[in-house]
Amino acid sequence: MKSKIHKFKVLLLATFLIVSFLKTNAQNGSALYQQNCAMCHGADLNGGNAPSLIDGVWMFGAEDGYLFRNIKFGIAHLGMPSYEKVLKDTEIREIMKFIRESEKKVGAVKPPITKVLETLDYNIDVEVFAEGLEVPWAIDFIDANTALITERPGRLRVVKNGKLQTEPIKNIPAVVNAGQGGLLDVAIDPNYATNGWVYLAYSHVLDHITEGKRPPAMTRLERGKIKNNTWIDNEIIFEAPHETYRTTRHHYGCRIVFNPEGYLFFSIGERGAAEHAQDFTLPNGKVHRIYKDGSIPESNPFFSEKNAIKSIYSLGNRNIQGMAIHPETGELWATEHGPMGGDELNLIEAGKNYGWPVITYGLNYNGTVITELTHKPGLEQPILYWKPSTAVCGLDFYTGALFKKWKNKLMVGALKYEEVRLLDIEDERVMHQEIIVKGQGRVRDVTTGPDGAIYVVLNKPGTVLRLTPKEE
Ligand code: HEC
């Protein structure tokens, strides 16, 4: 009996301690907020000289990690100060907790998808093309009425005549669905009408090497045909040497594009090993060029180098998540995730080295310096870089007939900033940048559809938007 009472007392004390800890935490957060943030974001968090923090809108990233970095390192060019030297990390977390609790109290919700977007040239009608998808990664069109969409956990979905089919394609390759990996890109052969090939890029895992360890994985490419909703005739067209596979689960790259000369380009991120990007005996941190059947062009820049991975086309690419071929020049353009503050747009050319991690405009995510260098002879400069990083993802030139004024302009998606930018490029210089989509969700892919509409894949909330010019 005595011990029961004792146990009860201990429990009571523990509960009391936890509750009062949580309470002081929130109180601390509130006090710290009032001291440091209220003068700009408002005493009630509703905004003032700076935006509201409880309206459900996060312009610079909604997830905790982004919030934390935005507070710790600031957004210098917009007047959001850095609190790195003022607040401890634990204090920043207390403020964040206070912000989240305040959000809950007022019932802040992300505003619904905007029905009409305004841009300099057009008012745009926005409709939901597909929804209820689980982490969609890419979209491509087989014909005017049929789209294929990848879901990262490992499903290939079909939208037919505007309707998402309930049954995914059967028998597609197994993928390792972990971290940033899974089923990533899908690309339709430019001659699909005659040959029927569909290409997939995904994270492939060596499951025979386990020994209690996480099995190593790498980007792999496969092509196949779709018959009766089933993946058939599959051919592996790129597989890296197994000794180069890595146990990390991020930076897989993966975009696939075709140029008019019949080459297939794809990217592999550095898989978390920055220095590998400089080493042509390793596949990661590179752009690769192969023929569509997987054979390797002898004209590849490192083809005759001893020990080189012969498919390598360019080096020093951290994690390319967007690739597109210019419709007139045939040039290969790519967007690459930099570290904090170093997202890049590059014009990729044979044999060139884009510098990661020797040169970069970014910092480590903990704020420390990666390298003092932004330039070095022999290493390419980006055409453009974004500081802070928007988390560039998805890239396409607009080639449709609906938005006539946007012919050949470059559409750049962004995950963290939840936007699509339209870039006007002349003579390899970006002359103008406009945000045409903002705050609708994390943009994974953006593409011109066969109907001339712009399709925007939002990995969260799992929606594909279709944009068309509003009839005035
Ligand atoms: C001197 C004014 C100022 C102070 C003080 C300030 N901020 Fe900011 N904050 C800004 C501005 C300006 C922006 C960017 C606004 C814009 O351009 O949309 C911003 C942006 C932010 C964002 C990103 C919002 C989004 O939509 O993604 C967060 C989060 C934030 N502030 C939190 C804080 C916190 C927490 C504090 C206190 C520790 C703080 N700020 C103090 C001015 C301030």
Side-chain angles (χ1 to χ4, degrees):
M1 188 67 193
K2 208 174 168 191
S3 89
K4 247 192 188 160
I5 289 174
H6 181 71
K7 261 192 197 151
F8 181 70
K9 270 189 186 157
V10 170
L11 199 72
L12 208 66
L13 186 69
T15 317
F16 173 76
L17 282 176
I18 290 169
V19 168
S20 51
F21 171 76
L22 288 176
K23 232 173 154 178
T24 39
N25 222 349
Q27 276 166 357
N28 262 349
S30 162
L32 286 166
Y33 175 86
Q34 295 304 336
Q35 276 161 31
N36 293 285
C37 325
M39 65 281 227
C40 289
H41 291 283
D44 55 1
L45 298 91
N46 240 325
N49 300 328
S52 166
L53 300 176
I54 48 170
D55 58 0
V57 177
W58 295 104
M59 305 262 286
F60 308 98
E63 280 80 16
D64 279 353
Y66 297 142
L67 233 67
F68 180 82
R69 279 182 230 149
N70 285 336
I71 300 168
K72 181 162 179 176
F73 303 113
I75 310 171
H77 69 297
L78 295 175
M80 165 66 197
S82 153
Y83 284 88
E84 196 182 359
K85 300 212 167 72
V86 183
L87 298 170
K88 291 195 232 96
D89 285 3
T90 48
E91 291 176 321
I92 293 177
R93 299 222 178 267
E94 281 170 25
I95 296 178
M96 282 168 56
K97 200 154 172 278
F98 170 68
I99 295 174
R100 294 301 192 199
E101 277 166 11
S102 309
E103 266 193 313
K104 253 192 220 135
K105 241 180 242 160
V106 300
V109 280
K110 192 178 166 63
I113 281 168
T114 314
K115 291 278 182 344
V116 179
L117 296 168
E118 286 176 24
T119 68
L120 291 177
D121 293 323
Y122 299 98
N123 287 333
I124 297 176
D125 274 326
V126 181
E127 60 183 300
V128 171
F129 176 69
E131 61 188 334
L133 296 157
E134 190 182 354
V135 203
W137 211 89
I139 187 169
D140 203 357
F141 288 83
I142 283 182
D143 56 46
N145 307 315
T146 318
L148 295 181
I149 299 170
T150 53
E151 289 179 303
R152 199 175 63 193
R155 283 179 300 270
L156 186 58
R157 305 292 300 269
V158 185
V159 178
K160 224 175 169 105
N161 301 317
K163 247 193 112 194
L164 179 66
Q165 308 296 296
T166 40
E167 273 292 306
I169 304 285
K170 291 188 206 74
N171 200 36
I172 62 154
V175 303
V176 53
N177 168 32
Q180 298 172 356
L183 179 60
L184 302 175
D185 208 13
V186 56
I188 312 294
D189 196 292
N191 303 322
Y192 177 85
T194 50
N195 65 25
W197 287 117
V198 176
Y199 300 75
L200 296 175
Y202 60 94
S203 316
H204 171 241
V205 69
L206 298 178
D207 46 16
H208 55 277
I209 309 172
T210 42
E211 296 158 15
K213 278 195 297 190
R214 200 157 54 171
M218 190 56 85
T219 305
R220 182 158 92 167
L221 265 70
E222 189 166 320
R223 70 173 180 177
K225 297 180 180 174
I226 295 169
K227 241 195 194 125
N228 302 326
N229 212 44
T230 306
W231 184 257
I232 56 164
D233 294 347
N234 64 301
E235 293 176 0
I236 292 161
I237 57 167
F238 175 84
E239 180 166 318
H242 288 184
E243 63 276 14
T244 68
Y245 277 46
R246 295 184 55 77
T247 55
T248 50
R249 291 292 183 262
H250 63 298
H251 294 179
Y252 286 97
C254 263
R255 290 293 174 194
I256 301 172
V257 291
F258 307 96
N259 82 354
E261 293 155 47
Y263 294 114
L264 181 161
F265 296 90
F266 66 96
S267 58
I268 304 185
E270 33 88 302
R271 306 286 292 100
E275 67 286 2
H276 287 191
Q278 292 295 321
D279 182 346
F280 66 41
T281 68
L282 294 167
N284 38 332
K286 315 289 176 345
V287 171
H288 296 255
R289 181 174 78 167
I290 58 178
Y291 289 119
K292 294 190 292 183
D293 65 358
S295 57
I296 297 179
E298 285 183 23
S299 56
N300 270 3
F302 303 101
F303 191 86
S304 42
E305 296 282 350
K306 206 170 157 237
N307 300 329
I309 302 272
K310 304 209 177 303
S311 53
I312 291 176
Y313 188 71
S314 74
L315 309 162
N317 301 111
R318 185 172 178 272
N319 191 24
I320 290 180
Q321 298 267 283
M323 293 214 286
I325 299 286
H326 191 287
E328 278 168 8
T329 64
E331 293 160 338
L332 173 62
W333 289 73
T335 43
E336 123 175 14
H337 277 209
M340 203 167 65
D343 285 6
E344 295 182 357
L345 173 68
N346 285 303
L347 173 58
I348 302 288
E349 290 177 340
K352 293 201 169 161
N353 186 330
Y354 292 83
W356 175 253
V358 183
I359 58 170
T360 176
Y361 288 88
L363 297 171
N364 281 314
Y365 288 117
N366 61 10
T368 55
V369 172
I370 297 163
T371 161
E372 299 286 347
L373 298 181
T374 55
H375 290 68
K376 196 174 177 186
L379 302 181
E380 302 305 310
Q381 280 296 303
I383 300 287
L384 185 73
Y385 65 91
W386 287 275
K387 197 172 184 154
S389 296
T390 63
V392 282
C393 199
L395 191 70
D396 198 16
F397 287 94
Y398 181 74
T399 50
L402 289 182
F403 296 92
K404 290 205 168 52
K405 293 179 194 162
W406 290 356
K407 187 172 175 226
N408 296 348
K409 290 195 184 183
L410 188 60
M411 303 180 289
V412 184
L415 290 159
K416 172 175 158 189
Y417 276 27
E418 302 191 0
E419 59 189 34
V420 177
R421 292 187 184 212
L422 191 69
L423 270 51
D424 202 351
I425 299 174
E426 277 172 40
D427 299 332
E428 301 176 7
R429 279 172 59 201
V430 176
M431 307 304 282
H432 186 252
Q433 244 191 98
E434 184 188 357
I435 297 170
I436 57 169
V437 176
K438 179 78 192 174
Q440 310 294 293
R442 289 164 62 76
V443 177
R444 248 309 159 199
D445 197 11
V446 53
T447 193
T448 315
D451 56 354
I454 296 168
Y455 291 81
V456 182
V457 176
L458 305 175
N459 82 346
K460 210 170 139 190
T463 303
V464 180
L465 302 179
R466 178 174 180 270
L467 315 185
T468 49
K470 197 171 176 56
E471 311 252 349
E472 302 293 342

